[in-house]
Amino acid sequence: MSIQITFPDGNVKSFDAPVTGLAIAQGISPGLAKKAAVIKVDDALWDLNRPIVRDARISIITRDKPEALEVIRHDAAHVLAQAVQELFPGTQITFGPATEVGFYYDFARDTPFTEADLEAIENKMREIVKRDLPIKREVWDRDAALKHFEAAGESFKAEWIREGIAADEELSIYRQGDNWLDMCLGPHLPSTGKLGSAFKLIRVGGVYWRGDANNAQLQRIYGVCFATDDELKAYLKQMEEAEKRDHRKLGKQLDLFHQQEEAPGMVFWHPKGWAIWQAVEQYVRGVYKASGYQEVRGPQIMDVSLWKRSGHWDNYQENMFFTESEKRTYAVKPMNCPGHVQIYNAGLHSYRDLPIRYAEFGGCHRNEPSGALHGIMRVRAFTQDDGHIFCMPEQVEGEVTAFHQQAMQVYADFGFTDLAVKLALRPDKRLGTDEAWDRAENALRAALRAAGVAWEELPGEGAFYGPKIEYHLKDSIGRSWQVGTIQFDPMMPERLDASYIDESSQRVRPIMLHRAIVGSMERFIGILIEHHAGALPFWLSPVQAVVAPIVSDADGYASEVCELLKGEGLRAQADLRNEKINYKIREHALQKIPVILVVGRKEAEERTVTLRLRGIDAQETLPLDQALARLKAMR
RNA sequence: GCCGAAAUAGCUCAGUCGGUAGAGCGACUGAUUCGUAAUCAGUAGGUCGCAGGUUCGAUUCCUGUUUUCGGCACCA
């Protein structure tokens, strides 16, 4: 039988069926066959040696293409699995996909893998690559597969066949050489030799079977993998650089903050770190004012009955701190919203007053699981740039759109342009009817559409009271953190009895929007530090300028210059230590001070200063008033 | 919270196959006044995370615990 194969350029050629991708590639050129990784058949990626038996549009995917890279990484996972089973018989295989930079595979084994094991496993992987084992796809009968894996003691694979694969679904098995196989959707490279050498095992960690904490604990081995050795090398280099930007490291080096054993998950802000905080806070306060918020302040602890009414006690009591006095139990606030509702409820509101927007730099405590703590990014005591908008349902879309635009402007002002916008939809554990959730989710979608942004939807990730839009930023090693959010909440007004009087004098529930732009001040400052590698923009730098005299004869003049700068509201210091100018320059450069003003005898006599700006070796000497004007312009 | 690892001077780290520890930087003191990324010399500084156990003797071995790190789960 002959089939028609359509090539990417539109050419059509007849082949005797079955024909494989590899054969087609060889027909074009041996070079292409060598570079080929997989073949795209219509819109699906297939193995090169999988027989094509029908008319199809095809394109050969060479190993330098992104789609091929995913296959290479997936292959690496399988080679890893085989290596582990050869080295550690009795270890069960489960799943092993490609990731953004490599791959992982999850194993069930009683004995933990050690760092030394990783080295041995990686060597075994290279050996399997060298053996160049053919990789072949087979379609198995479901019962046969079940029987095989059960007989092999692979209970996790067997469970997956029973519970994870639909009865009518095709079950594919990939054989790697004669003695090893795995159940897998594929596609894969034609042989292990095609994997190449650009991979490296990097760490091992514990995970739960099927991502559920109630299930068995597995061990996940992570690797990184690229198409070429140069790319791997570049990646490892980049990671090394990224580690230098770690906010925990820079926080210490730049003397911004510290944390200690007696206060896990909490931050001791040092003067320089607090200066950054103040700069951020004053900026955000300006945003509050500009966008119609009134700043308020609620109490830090409130009777637990209030938290029972709000629903927080039911959902989060495990993660709340409590304190007691005179036989009453108080909850240390984990959120500011119930407090804001009390402020709202203290007065009577007409529909004409809405929207009412309250804002607070609200300090919250949440007893986060110990394993979740991470520097100042995930803490147990934090401050939100929190705000709550009480409005009518028809005002929601406009408020959300306005918020979005304001938030994007704020991120841009701090130097962030690469934001991920996500829409978190109804979770399993929730309040309210499905109809209410439909309305809420659609209102947020409409607002995002109106704002003209692309967003990702996250089913099941919403808050218990409503859906939310989330804004995410990445840290130096690629971990994604939520910063801003706006959340739709029809539940809290109901539970805490908030209302307004509508046009026909009826008491009606407002909608409440919870919103934050920087989110947690702690987390945001952590991300700021990493994003700028500690070299914060001038307006955020804790010390904006250092005046450094060359000889002690210039000390008086240096102090005068420093006082002048401070008088203009700049954060300046004079470095009058008995050290050489080289020493001072080096130290302040390492401290990432944006401006160093060097003054020697000459400057003191002529009333000039020599400016040295961060990142620029060239110097410029200019009169004091001009230098001052220059610095003021940098704010 | 779960799996794994780690914790030594202010910081970065070395070390002790069980005999109570060392470097560099920093700090302090003195000398030096030196024009754009480290001047020289000297001094001080540590219950080796905490609590038990084994031992003649523990920072080292064992157990527990706290915190941190990596991963997962969680993240109102």
Side-chain angles (χ1 to χ4, degrees):
Chain A
M1 194 183 86
S2 138
I3 54 172
Q4 305 295 310
I5 297 294
T6 309
F7 289 86
D9 60 6
N11 280 335
V12 181
K13 222 176 138 186
S14 295
F15 287 87
D16 288 332
V19 65
T20 66
L22 197 59
I24 295 171
Q26 259 152 0
I28 298 168
S29 86
L32 179 65
K34 201 174 164 193
K35 275 197 297 180
V38 281
I39 180 170
K40 191 181 250 178
V41 177
D42 292 329
D43 290 319
L45 287 180
W46 282 29
D47 312 289
L48 283 175
N49 52 24
R50 180 168 170 185
I52 301 168
V53 293
R54 56 175 160 82
D55 293 354
R57 261 178 313 109
I58 65 108
S59 60
I60 305 286
I61 310 292
T62 50
R63 63 180 288 121
D64 54 332
K65 297 289 184 298
E67 293 151 299
L69 186 53
E70 202 182 321
V71 176
I72 292 169
R73 286 170 173 161
H74 189 183
D75 263 41
H78 279 232
V79 171
L80 164 62
Q82 181 173 359
V84 166
Q85 288 202 312
E86 285 187 13
L87 284 171
F88 305 98
T91 303
Q92 289 192 58
I93 50 174
T94 66
F95 286 105
T99 65
E100 257 179 70
V101 290
F103 59 96
Y104 65 76
Y105 206 106
D106 294 345
F107 300 98
R109 177 180 182 237
D110 292 337
T111 319
F113 292 113
T114 64
E115 296 292 321
D117 291 338
L118 285 193
E119 206 184 318
I121 295 166
E122 191 176 310
N123 289 336
K124 179 62 82 177
M125 286 175 72
R126 295 193 192 284
E127 186 194 313
I128 291 169
V129 169
K130 213 167 166 189
R131 279 188 239 154
D132 198 17
L133 304 172
I135 301 173
K136 288 189 188 127
R137 181 179 191 273
E138 294 172 9
V139 175
W140 281 22
D141 174 70
R142 186 187 172 85
D143 290 334
L146 194 57
K147 217 169 131 191
H148 168 87
F149 285 112
E150 274 173 348
E154 297 283 3
S155 58
F156 291 92
K157 282 284 175 190
E159 179 185 324
W160 187 247
I161 293 173
R162 268 187 254 106
E163 297 175 20
I165 298 181
D168 56 349
E169 213 174 314
E170 191 174 72
L171 196 156
S172 53
I173 295 288
Y174 277 84
R175 276 191 193 277
Q176 207 154 275
D178 296 327
N179 304 315
W180 195 82
L181 60 79
D182 193 359
M183 178 172 71
C184 179
L185 289 170
H188 280 284
L189 300 170
S191 68
T192 58
K194 295 274 186 189
L195 174 55
S197 56
F199 60 87
K200 183 177 166 60
L201 298 183
I202 50 170
R203 66 176 67 96
V204 54
V207 296
Y208 299 106
W209 167 238
R210 294 166 81 169
D212 187 333
N214 299 311
N215 287 346
Q217 182 110 32
L218 308 174
Q219 295 183 69
R220 175 173 297 176
I221 296 178
Y222 286 90
V224 291
C225 179
F226 293 87
T228 66
D229 290 344
D230 283 348
E231 286 169 284
L232 174 65
K233 228 166 112 186
Y235 172 81
L236 294 174
K237 180 87 190 154
Q238 187 195 327
M239 278 299 103
E240 213 173 287
E241 288 303 310
E243 274 167 34
K244 292 181 192 159
R245 305 166 77 107
D246 190 310
H247 74 281
R248 293 164 297 191
K249 197 170 261 190
L250 287 168
K252 217 176 266 177
Q253 278 166 12
L254 304 180
D255 194 20
L256 304 177
F257 58 83
H258 86 270
Q259 297 177 277
Q260 68 185 48
E261 212 170 318
E262 290 81 355
M266 314 204 189
V267 187
F268 293 80
W269 288 100
H270 296 194
K272 285 184 194 167
W274 194 247
I276 300 173
W277 179 298
Q278 283 303 316
V280 174
E281 184 175 311
Q282 293 310 327
Y283 168 90
V284 172
R285 183 161 279 131
V287 171
Y288 280 155
K289 281 184 187 148
S291 44
Y293 288 80
Q294 299 169 280
E295 205 172 319
V296 297
R297 183 91 180 165
Q300 203 64 34
I301 61 174
M302 292 192 280
D303 192 284
V304 72
S305 61
L306 184 72
W307 302 99
K308 286 183 177 168
R309 266 196 286 149
S310 71
H312 290 99
W313 197 83
D314 282 342
N315 283 281
Y316 292 107
Q317 53 175 303
E318 294 298 314
N319 298 308
M320 289 167 69
F321 288 104
F322 297 97
T323 182
E324 252 179 50
S325 172
E326 294 179 331
K327 296 181 188 154
R328 289 181 73 177
T329 304
Y330 298 86
V332 181
K333 71 171 171 178
M335 288 192 89
N336 307 300
C337 36
H340 288 189
V341 175
Q342 305 317 304
I343 295 169
Y344 176 88
N345 285 354
L348 198 59
H349 302 287
S350 155
Y351 70 96
R352 284 186 305 253
D353 302 333
L354 302 185
I356 288 174
R357 306 184 190 90
Y358 292 144
E360 176 176 358
F361 289 98
C364 295
H365 288 74
R366 295 181 187 174
N367 199 1
E368 303 283 10
S370 55
L373 303 181
H374 180 91
I376 66 173
M377 302 285 210
R378 185 82 183 270
V379 287
R380 288 188 175 140
F382 59 98
T383 301
Q384 288 174 308
D385 65 323
D386 207 359
H388 293 95
I389 303 169
F390 296 86
C391 65
M392 296 182 275
E394 58 269 32
Q395 293 173 320
V396 167
E397 192 184 319
E399 287 296 316
V400 174
T401 308
F403 168 81
H404 172 83
Q405 268 143 10
Q406 179 65 264
M408 295 311 275
Q409 181 58 52
V410 168
Y411 299 134
D413 286 349
F414 281 105
F416 300 110
T417 48
D418 193 13
L419 267 289
V421 181
K422 304 183 183 185
L423 177 60
L425 307 172
R426 69 194 76 186
D428 293 336
K429 203 174 159 189
R430 61 177 182 262
L431 301 174
T433 63
D434 285 351
E435 293 72 43
W437 278 89
D438 286 341
R439 275 199 302 279
E441 289 171 357
N442 286 330
L444 294 187
R445 280 198 190 95
L448 284 175
R449 219 172 283 125
V453 279
W455 73 89
E456 180 193 349
E457 302 209 341
L458 307 171
E461 307 243 319
F464 70 90
Y465 49 71
K468 53 181 180 167
I469 297 170
E470 302 177 353
Y471 297 82
H472 291 248
L473 282 172
K474 282 189 177 166
D475 70 9
S476 61
I477 55 171
R479 280 186 281 220
S480 177
W481 298 91
Q482 180 188 307
V483 283
T485 182
I486 184 160
Q487 314 184 352
F488 186 104
D489 182 3
M491 299 300 154
M492 199 75 60
E494 180 71 36
R495 296 196 147 229
L496 297 181
D497 196 26
S499 62
Y500 64 93
I501 308 299
D502 74 4
E503 291 145 290
S504 43
S505 296
Q506 299 299 304
R507 275 167 52 99
V508 186
R509 297 278 175 228
I511 296 290
M512 204 174 162
L513 299 174
H514 308 245
R515 46 111 289 160
I517 297 180
V518 307
S520 146
M521 293 286 284
E522 285 80 358
R523 173 178 297 177
F524 192 73
I525 292 171
I527 291 178
L528 263 181
I529 292 167
E530 300 203 349
H531 181 72
H532 296 287
L536 294 169
F538 188 78
W539 69 285
L540 289 168
S541 283
V543 179
Q544 296 172 308
V546 167
V547 188
I550 295 168
V551 292
S552 51
D553 286 354
D555 283 1
Y557 178 63
S559 301
E560 189 191 331
V561 171
C562 182
E563 289 308 313
L564 190 66
L565 297 178
K566 286 202 228 167
E568 292 293 341
L570 291 163
R571 297 184 288 274
Q573 289 178 357
D575 181 359
L576 306 184
R577 292 175 303 171
N578 175 14
E579 295 291 351
K580 287 186 165 182
I581 192 63
N582 285 315
Y583 181 91
K584 294 182 184 178
I585 296 283
R586 176 181 153 79
E587 192 165 292
H588 300 307
L590 288 175
Q591 285 292 307
K592 319 215 186 249
I593 307 294
V595 182
I596 303 172
L597 299 92
V598 177
V599 294
R601 285 201 185 89
K602 193 159 145 274
E603 284 85 354
E605 277 163 25
E606 296 170 356
R607 297 196 61 79
T608 59
V609 294
T610 299
L611 287 185
R612 186 191 165 107
L613 304 181
R614 185 174 60 200
I616 302 169
D617 286 341
Q619 306 131 40
E620 190 180 358
T621 303
L622 64 176
L624 190 48
D625 55 343
Q626 281 181 31
L628 190 59
R630 179 87 71 86
L631 293 198
K632 281 162 74 178
M634 287 168 71
R635 279 192 290 213

